[in-house]
Amino acid sequence: MRFTSLALAIALPFTMPMAGFAAGGDTTTPPTPSDTTKKCWGKRVWDEDTQKCVKPEESSLSDEQLLQTARELAYLDRFEDAQAVLAAHPDQTDSRVLTYWGFTHRKLGHSSEAKDYYTHAIAQDPDNILARSYMAQGFVETGEYAQALAQWKEIRARGGDGTWAEASLRQAIQTGVTVNY
């Protein structure tokens, strides 16, 4: 009886419909392919100034462009290439950079490193609901549902109700299947 009541209390919030948003831009639209993913292979990015593929640290990409390029590469499962772009970002303490480091490590199967990056991202910005969602999806993958549920509650408490971060985590907890973007 007690387990049934607990299960019902946990399951009820998950019956709400999932919002149609995705990480990185709160849209379900995938990143638009850029010259980096159309012309460059490996740990290279397209540089508009030189009109060729270069190492990320040698490119003229802005901080924001580096983040968007890392997201685009990660979307294509090019996680190590995305990490090379992240390494070129000048602010390695930026919560968004730490979040993407965590994401790429998680997708490469490095769960301990991923958790460390997510923890640092949240320490930098406790309202980083994307880092909370991705970290909690890692908890779902390892069967740590209580920790995932705690992060889901934190996301909601921080105004993330109905966002992609909240809805995708809710779905992951409900189904046991995590999402990428």
Side-chain angles (χ1 to χ4, degrees), residues 27-33 71 75:
T27 176
T28 56
T29 306
T32 302
R71 178 179 182 261
Y75 188 85

Side-chain angles (χ1 to χ4, degrees), residues 146-166:
Q147 290 181 342
L149 185 59
Q151 287 303 317
W152 176 75
K153 289 178 180 179
E154 271 298 316
I155 290 168
R156 291 184 53 140
R158 294 176 180 281
D161 193 24
T163 63
W164 183 91
E166 182 271 330

